[in-house]
Amino acid sequence: MSDEEKMQLRLEIAHVLFIDIVGYSKLLIDEQSEALQELNGIVRSTEAAREAEAAGELIILPTGDGMALVFTGSVEEPVECALQISQTLRAQPSLPVRMGIHSGPVHHVADVNQRENIAGAGINIAQRVMDCGDAGHILLSKRVADDLAQYRRWQPYLHDLGDFEVKHGVVVSVVNLYADDVGNPNSPERLKHGKQISPRSAADGRGKRRPILVTLIVGFMLFTLAVLAIIFAPAILKQTRTRATSAPLASASAAPSAPSIPQKSVAVLPFQNFSDNKENEFFADGVQDDILTALSKVADLKVISRTSVMTYAAGAQRNLKEIAQALGVSHILEGSVRRADGKVRVSAQLIDARNDAHVWADTYDRDLANVFAIQSEIAKAIAQQLQARLSPPEKAALEEQPTNDLEAHDLYMHAKLLNEASSYDARRREKLLQAVNLLNQAIARDPNFFLAYCLLENTQALLYFYGGEHMPERRALAEAAVNAVSRLRPDAGETHLARADYLYRCYLDYEGARAELAIAQRSLPNNAQVFALLGYIARRENKWDESTRHLEHALQLDPRNWFYLQQIALSYNFLRRYPQLATTLDRVLAIKPADVNTRVARAAVEMDASADTGPLRKTLDEITAQDPAAVGGSAQAYMVLAIYERDPEAIRRANAVTPQPGIEFESVVLPRPFWEGLIARIQGDTARAHQEFAAARLEVEQMLRDQPDFGSAFCSLAVIDAGLGDKENALTEIGRARELVPIEKEYINGSTIMWFSAVVYAWVGEKDRAIEELTRVVHMPSTVSYGSLRLNPLWDPLRDDPRFEQIVNSLAPK
């Protein structure tokens, strides 16, 4: 054998993703070509394939009705690629695809044209695994699944199907990979009627040992067939592929098994407050929160984040086994707190929820001043009971005390609850300003209160980021909090997280924020905010698949975090994936069934998808009947419904109850007089419309004096000037808005300003520019929907243009 031949046959381990189109042979020739072209485009557009190819770690082999992707980097690469393909295909059900993944030996060969190709058992087994599946399935070999199971992120995706015999007596161990929005959760039809092999007989593939010579002969024959298949691919590979339907399979059903739960995992549930005084309202929450925070810094533990555990109210009847299963943990920590007369009693118990066994329990009776020492002792006891390995920094973290001032700590906990409650709330600015006031009081009592400064940075940055306080002074206050955090603990993980949050929200410095998050992750292994922030950054960069992966990772650490689910729903809204949007909002409602904002968002799905306002109207009527005060918190939804239904009185009612200076319409705040002007415009009252728009302009001018670089305010001003007939200023202002919020830098608000640009062009008579801009917007992720185009009076100037009708119909439900 020549040196060249030896080199070609040298084996290496590769990670193979095998893909084919189900029912390909039944398609017409031109349909086959179109399907392959579409699949090729989807595969090559995935971030995983692009990155691996750029790094020289990917070879793509055509196989007639699909392709094999050979990754030479991480075992996660083909899985990431498969997930990204599956997410894209969810929106294109007309292209039925199945996938199989295996890690195994491959080697380089030269095909008939002397071009480099790949052959080997790694490809063969990946194909055999894939052949077991139906459309939508992502099937893994057991080898790949075992590698992935070492990581928390992948455990919820893995569902064992069992060992099955396929052609030539080969046994494949198959694992189904799926989640709510990827893969196919159903057991493959081929395996329902397949010959399942017992664990004992799976060792030799047929229930008895083969003679070694026979094994070698069969192995050599398979090896030879694999080489020939690649040399004469794609035609011969297509003909020689083993189909699971042709294999002699007997009846057996393999039920999926639940993903494994780590032994060293715990959820710290809210502690029950046995104190009598109202002043102790936040005290029990603070004890539980500090214990949870300390444990979450231990890398050897899986610790569920705060938002998820807070959904299980203290004092309520709890089924610990069900809670543990829902959160993906083996252990639950419960407790109670009583504070009175300068004393404190803290009781805690650690329970193995798998068998309801009490692993550890203790009660601490101390002076009130020692409560923080109690928290440290409990955290250390739990780490010891779970046999967690502790590094010196982790040991120190368990002994850290947040503050010595109990009142400062209560103020901090109150501010934390306000900060958390500000999400998706029309009173966001009001709640965040209250939180700032409380945190400043806490810091005045304890100038070294590190966690209070961390929360203050986030609260100040949120005020700046969302536009209520988008001014240099607010940004400077966020910077001052970051500087205090850096001074107190320059190397702490929380410090790097605060810096990342500041760089992202105040400067859109994505690279700087990502660098800080990479450092933060080392000492905050269980902090879901790290991955959530990575998800927000990726979305602002128009990297939707990457964003979803990070947010799903955050959900693994915080499984009942309804805010993260709302953020995933927001992404689906931009992508116009309405079935997934509805499913995700249903997941939120399963956690918070009475949450008004989520109920409204769920009801609005039909309005966006099919221009049906009925479900939203019904839901808003129910909410108003149950709690009239809830109208203010949902003023935006009431306004959108009223506008779409062109109901002047409903528009006035929504305008009157909004707690803000105006309604935030797709992140652009339009003052109250604007909506009165819109009513007059709809009714044909030109004089009154001009009067109201002029009043709205004065309010936005004041906003811009306070926030001179606020792009959304310039967008609002442009729409108002368009309504006033001031074409020159309207075009200048919308141009300024696009300069301040370029879509290449900030995709979410940038895409909104793009479609507002189309509105401005339409209102000032530039119909061609409006149509051109709107055409761009509907071909990219954005909040422009079929319902909004069909119903929103902002688009009325274009309704007599057949090009506009064509655009509307392109988004119509299929």
Side-chain angles (χ1 to χ4, degrees), residues 457-459 461-462 496-506 513 517 533:
E457 176 284 320
N458 178 251
T459 309
L462 286 173
H496 292 286
L497 179 56
R499 287 177 187 160
D501 188 70
Y502 169 70
L503 290 171
Y504 164 59
R505 299 194 186 280
C506 294
L517 289 171
L533 201 53

Side-chain angles (χ1 to χ4, degrees), residues 316-581:
Q317 189 69 28
R318 292 167 170 169
N319 185 319
L320 297 188
K321 187 171 185 179
E322 289 182 359
I323 293 173
Q325 289 175 341
L327 298 178
V329 295
S330 57
H331 293 77
I332 297 288
L333 180 67
E334 288 189 305
S336 63
V337 179
R338 184 184 297 276
R339 171 182 173 178
D341 301 325
K343 300 288 185 179
V344 63
R345 166 175 284 192
V346 179
S347 298
Q349 59 180 352
L350 180 67
I351 299 166
D352 188 334
R354 296 166 297 184
N355 52 21
D356 200 31
H358 284 61
V359 178
W360 168 90
D362 208 341
T363 297
Y364 303 81
D365 287 299
R366 305 274 179 86
D367 289 337
L368 186 57
N370 292 323
V371 66
F372 298 119
I374 295 173
Q375 294 166 180
S376 295
E377 289 179 36
I378 293 174
K380 286 187 286 187
I382 300 308
Q384 182 179 8
Q385 291 296 326
L386 296 178
Q387 300 179 358
R389 297 186 301 273
L390 298 176
S391 65
E394 289 169 346
K395 290 179 181 177
L398 293 180
E399 295 174 355
E400 287 175 359
Q401 297 186 13
T403 178
N404 291 319
D405 190 308
L406 289 173
E407 187 171 340
H409 196 265
D410 282 354
L411 291 165
Y412 163 75
M413 286 305 303
H414 189 182
K416 192 169 189 175
L417 292 172
L418 283 168
N419 179 292
E420 292 169 349
S422 69
S423 304
Y424 277 76
D425 194 307
R427 294 186 172 88
R428 173 194 287 152
R429 180 171 176 268
E430 174 187 334
K431 290 182 177 180
L432 290 174
L433 288 172
Q434 288 179 31
V436 166
N437 181 47
L438 292 167
L439 290 168
N440 283 332
Q441 292 180 52
I443 290 167
R445 295 186 62 88
D446 181 0
N448 294 319
F449 195 166
F450 173 73
L451 291 179
Y453 280 113
C454 290
L455 185 59
L456 181 61
E457 176 284 320
N458 178 251
T459 309
Q460 302 280 26
L462 286 173
L463 280 165
Y464 178 85
F465 186 73
Y466 285 115
E469 301 277 332
H470 197 86
M471 54 190 70
E473 294 81 0
R474 185 61 64 184
R475 187 169 63 190
L477 290 170
E479 181 178 10
V482 168
N483 290 338
V485 167
S486 300
R487 171 179 54 81
L488 290 170
R489 297 186 192 173
D491 300 321
E494 293 90 344
T495 299
H496 292 286
L497 179 56
R499 287 177 187 160
D501 188 70
Y502 169 70
L503 290 171
Y504 164 59
R505 299 194 186 280
C506 294
Y507 288 97
L508 299 181
D509 181 356
Y510 304 139
E511 290 304 315
R514 268 195 289 262
E516 293 290 346
L517 289 171
I519 302 171
Q521 189 178 348
R522 298 171 195 164
S523 55
L524 301 175
N526 290 287
N527 193 310
Q529 294 178 40
V530 172
F531 298 98
L533 201 53
L534 286 169
Y536 305 152
I537 291 170
R539 187 166 58 192
R540 299 273 166 182
E541 295 180 304
N542 197 23
K543 299 176 180 177
W544 298 89
D545 289 341
E546 179 182 334
S547 173
T548 300
R549 288 201 309 276
H550 287 310
L551 289 171
E552 289 286 1
H553 194 161
L555 273 174
Q556 291 171 30
L557 298 170
D558 205 352
R560 290 173 62 83
N561 189 311
W562 50 270
F563 179 69
Y564 294 160
L565 284 169
Q566 286 178 328
Q567 291 299 306
I568 293 173
L570 176 64
S571 295
Y572 285 138
N573 190 38
F574 266 78
L575 295 168
R576 303 185 189 92
R577 296 181 183 173
Y578 298 113
Q580 292 97 320
L581 169 60

Side-chain angles (χ1 to χ4, degrees), residues 21-22 27 35 38 89-97:
I21 300 170
V22 178
L27 301 176
E38 185 178 2
L89 290 172
R90 282 289 179 100
Q92 298 167 251
S94 60
L95 188 64
V97 167

